[in-house]
Structure formats: C-alpha cells, structure tokens
Amino acid sequence: MSIDTRAIRQDFPILHQEVHGRPLVYLDNAATTQKPRSVIDALVRYYEQDNSNIHRGIHTLAVRATEQYEDTRTRVARFINAPAPEGIVFTRNTTESLNLIARTWGDTHVNEGDEIVLSVMEHHSNIVPWQLLARRRGAVLKYADVDDQGYLKLDELRSLITPKTKLVTMMHASNVLGTINPISEIAEMAHAAGALFVVDAAQSVPHLPVDVEALGCDVLAFSAHKMAGPTGVGVLWADTDLLEEMQPFLGGGEMISVVREEGSTWADVPHKFEAGTPNIADVVAFSAAVDYLESIGMEAVREHEKALTAYALDRLSTIEGLTIHGPTDVEHRGGAVSFTMAEAHPHDISTIVDTHGVAIRAGHHCAQLLMRRLGVPATSRASFYIYNETSEIDALVEALEDVRRVFGHAGTRSAV
Ligand code: PMP
C-alpha cells in the first residue's frame, strides 16, 4: 500500500518554499502538521460565504454554519468509529480535553486516597491535569516506567493497578520515543479494576486507523492541528452515557437548557460541554482535513510512515556518535524519532540542521519525566507525515553529518 507523495505535496502550499536557500524539509509533524489547500480553502470559504453564529439563529447563514459545524462532528465520529456523534465534544486542543475530564469526572469521582495510574512517558498535558486533580482531591499518582527499549513496562503497570485505582490514563503513541502502547490490553486491566480509562491519542489518531470501540477506552483526546486540520480545535470523545452523567466544565451560553435565579439546567450532550461561541470556522475546516485523510486512507498513512521510519532508523544509525531513543521495530512504533549526538546539544543540532532547510524539534518535548528517565536534558526529534519522502531523510542525514563535522565525534552513548 503506497501513497503518492508527489501528488500529496502539490496539495500543501507551504512546502514549496526555500529556507536558507534550500528546499524546506519539514520534519516537525509531531508538533503540528501542515495544512492542505482544501483546509485553507474551507476556512476562507466559511468566512467569505457562511460566517454566522451557530445553534441560536434561524436565518439562512446561521442554519448553514450550524449544519457545517454539526456535520464535522458526525465526520469526526465516523473517523474514529465512535458509536454516536453526540460523544464528540469540541475543545481547543488535547490539553483542554484532558483538563475537561480531570475537572468534571475527576472532581466528582476521585476522593482522598484514591489512585490514578499513568506512565513516565506521558506528555505534560496528560500529567499536570492529574497532578492538579490529585492535589484538589487528596489522591495519589502512580507512574509506570518504560524499559530500556522504550516500551511501557506492562507487568509493572499491571501491578500498579489495584482496587484503589479510580482512573488509568495512557498515551496511545509517544511523541518522543514513537512507542505505540497496547491500548486494548491496558483497557482490560483498567476495567478489571473498575477504573475509568482515558487515552491521549494526540499522536495516534493523525497517523494510524483508530477505532474507539476496538480500543475499548472510555475517553479519547486528540487535536485537529496534528492531523492536517486547523489550530484551535481539540476533540474529546467519551461514551454518551458517561458525558450525560458528568458535571459541566465551563458555564455560560450554549450549554444551558433553562436558567433561573436559583440555578440552571444543562443542555443535552455534547452541548453541555461547549459553553460560549465555539471555534466555528476551524471546526468547519477540520472537516476538510478529515476528508483529506480519508481520501488517502489511514491504513495507507500508517504504511507510508512505517516505511519512512524504517528508512530513517536505518540511515540515522549510520551516523557516528548518534543514539536513537525508542523502539526499533516499526510495527510497534510511530514516526516520531528522537535522538541525541555525543557532544552536540539538541538546540545546536536544530540550529545547524535548519541552515540546511531542515525543520526538526529540540527540547524536552513536554516530557520532562521521560527525559529524566532517559538521562538526557533534551533530545532532537524528527517526525514524519503523509507528504514526507525518503529524500528528505537523506537531507536530514546530510545535515547531521555537518553537525558531526562541527562537533567532532566522541563515541556512542548508551541507549535509553
Ligand atoms: N499529548 C501528546 C502525546 C502530544 O504529542 C501533544 C502535543 N505535542 C499533546 C498531548 C498536547 O497537544 P495540544 O498541544 O494540541 O493540546
């Protein structure tokens, strides 16, 4: 199953530029992906033809805007095989989706001495909301470790989940190591203990077929901007029964049924969780991103990224003094490839590589617990998407050879 990157690249206007006199090589897709012309056009079309506030109006533009907004909900539900569009709540990003669940479900169900189980691999978005919840409610956080290859220690995780566990949360795919966690297996562990299971899917929904029914999780969070869609739109999926039972997150317009002096009643889900005027234009344009990915096919996206990742792991391993952090088996990993180079700081690596027109990321990648576990302050990270080609990995390798020439090579560090 192969995809036509030549044709795909034609759809992404931003890719056709030079940076420092070299063709842009964009390998920072785990941070955010580029947008195809159809998404940009959908945004412009919305503002030029349909802009109106939604739900309240009965004039033609309001009806059109409402239909498009709600149509995106239906498409997103279908994209992740959610049983009902009402299970899709639009937020600002993955971070807000996770905070929403921590504030609402968490504040109601988590009590003094209860335990929340997560892992040291998690992004800060899936750590800090639980730390805040634990502080508010007097709960305890327990972190599962990763092994030296960068896989989650499943046996350790199993032993951390006890009858005291109220909630288990885990990333589906790592933004640093690339590791894909066995979500359905973890769902069984969590449910056997009667715990709620929340999945941070920010790095999986954009890159591989995700079916919430098959995964068996209760809650799933992801961001549109990491899957060819606009910034400012996040998704929280949860079973509608769970959403019905949860208290609201933000109060205000749109989320109420009746307001009286002594109190209010709430709108039906998902509107109960979408207070105020939402990010209508970007939600509408998100639909074009979902269409775009569906037209390629998520199986094909995954196969393409597997091939690119295998090529990258192979080529990077030829660079002296370079250490790759994370699994080497592409069946169990996505396309985020982190590495360190003896002597060179990741920020210096990024700066030199940028002079070759190659965009990669350097830093702790919002994963300071994992950095500590890896024993490094930061890593460099290349991450791939549908428009990347092997020739761009060659450009990265060539740029890294330049880094090596500048910094010399003082031997290889040990992995993880
Ligand atoms: N989780 C993971 C695994 C991520 O990679 C990211 C983005 N780097 C987030 C959560 C947060 O996403 P956002 O910034 O869109 O809220």
Side-chain angles (χ1 to χ4, degrees):
M1 202 181 306
S2 67
I3 69 179
D4 184 354
T5 46
R6 282 278 156 80
I8 288 175
R9 292 180 74 80
Q10 289 309 316
D11 296 333
F12 287 79
I14 204 169
L15 297 178
H16 305 284
Q17 63 175 293
E18 293 195 340
V19 170
H20 298 300
R22 307 278 189 101
L24 168 66
V25 172
Y26 186 79
L27 301 178
D28 192 18
N29 294 288
T32 199
T33 60
Q34 300 303 348
K35 324 303 172 198
R37 170 68 67 199
S38 61
V39 170
I40 301 165
D41 286 349
L43 203 53
V44 173
R45 195 173 49 244
Y46 173 78
Y47 279 126
E48 285 186 349
Q49 298 177 13
D50 305 316
N51 177 51
S52 180
N53 213 328
I54 54 169
H55 296 140
R56 290 176 290 249
I58 46 168
H59 60 79
T60 303
L61 293 193
V63 171
R64 276 209 311 253
T66 304
E67 277 172 6
Q68 289 175 42
Y69 183 88
E70 290 303 326
D71 183 57
T72 306
R73 201 189 302 280
T74 305
R75 279 163 198 244
V76 171
R78 195 179 59 204
F79 191 70
I80 58 167
N81 197 32
E86 292 77 19
I88 301 289
V89 176
F90 289 120
T91 61
R92 279 188 307 143
N93 45 39
T94 305
T95 305
E96 186 175 296
S97 298
L98 293 166
N99 276 276
L100 189 159
I101 200 81
R103 275 273 172 192
T104 56
W105 193 91
D107 277 3
T108 312
H109 290 91
V110 174
N111 296 308
E112 179 95 33
D114 286 345
E115 294 177 352
I116 296 166
V117 175
L118 62 168
S119 84
V120 297
M121 296 166 93
E122 301 309 310
H123 188 280
H124 296 165
S125 299
N126 202 28
I127 297 173
V128 182
W130 310 115
Q131 290 179 333
L132 291 170
L133 169 65
R135 197 185 299 164
R136 284 196 302 277
R137 307 295 302 164
V140 177
L141 296 191
K142 290 161 87 181
Y143 296 90
D145 197 6
V146 291
D147 68 16
D148 287 347
Q149 277 80 52
Y151 290 111
L152 190 64
K153 288 184 179 168
L154 273 186
D155 285 340
E156 182 180 302
L157 175 67
R158 194 171 281 111
S159 70
L160 292 179
I161 300 173
T162 71
K164 282 186 173 173
T165 310
K166 272 290 163 66
L167 185 139
V168 177
T169 185
M170 208 58 62
M171 63 185 359
H172 191 177
S174 166
N175 60 318
V176 177
L177 302 168
T179 320
I180 296 174
N181 287 323
I183 291 299
S184 31
E185 212 176 313
I186 302 169
E188 276 175 30
M189 290 182 204
H191 291 153
L196 190 81
F197 184 40
V198 175
V199 173
D200 170 0
Q203 296 294 347
S204 62
V205 171
H207 301 286
L208 45 110
V210 166
D211 174 335
V212 286
E213 299 256 80
L215 288 181
C217 56
D218 301 302
V219 178
L220 188 93
F222 56 100
S223 297
H225 72 93
K226 292 183 195 283
M227 51 188 290
T231 48
V233 179
V235 175
L236 172 85
W237 169 80
D239 195 68
T240 44
D241 289 344
L242 186 75
L243 290 176
E244 303 274 6
E245 176 251 312
M246 275 160 43
Q247 289 302 305
F249 177 41
L250 301 173
E254 297 276 337
M255 53 74 71
I256 50 83
S257 171
V258 179
V259 176
R260 298 195 198 287
E261 281 88 345
E262 61 281 6
S264 305
T265 55
W266 315 133
D268 290 339
V269 297
H271 308 292
K272 180 168 84 174
F273 296 103
E274 293 180 5
T277 302
N279 186 354
I280 309 165
D282 289 306
V283 168
V284 168
F286 182 27
S287 192
V290 171
D291 280 356
Y292 192 84
L293 291 177
E294 277 178 342
S295 73
I296 298 171
M298 292 309 292
E299 291 284 357
V301 170
R302 171 74 179 131
E303 288 308 313
H304 175 67
E305 290 185 21
K306 263 172 30 184
L308 277 180
T309 307
Y311 185 79
L313 293 174
D314 193 42
R315 293 283 344 253
L316 289 173
S317 64
T318 63
I319 299 174
E320 250 187 282
L322 185 146
T323 302
I324 295 167
H325 301 278
T328 49
D329 180 355
V330 293
E331 293 303 324
H332 299 289
R333 60 163 297 143
V337 179
S338 278
F339 57 90
T340 45
M341 288 173 84
E343 306 283 291
H345 190 279
H347 285 125
D348 295 329
I349 296 174
S350 274
T351 307
I352 294 175
V353 162
D354 182 59
T355 64
H356 290 248
V358 180
I360 61 171
R361 187 147 292 249
H364 54 60
H365 315 292
C366 296
Q368 289 185 0
L369 299 188
L370 182 61
M371 293 297 121
R372 217 159 288 137
R373 172 66 181 83
L374 299 176
V376 294
T379 70
S380 298
R381 180 187 70 192
S383 51
F384 312 120
Y385 211 36
I386 43 182
Y387 34 71
N388 289 126
E389 299 179 315
T390 51
S391 60
E392 295 183 298
I393 292 164
D394 294 338
L396 169 67
V397 169
E398 195 185 303
L400 291 173
E401 288 294 356
D402 201 17
V403 172
R404 203 176 60 87
R405 274 191 293 275
V406 173
F407 285 91
H409 43 94
T412 316
R413 288 197 201 163
S414 60
V416 174

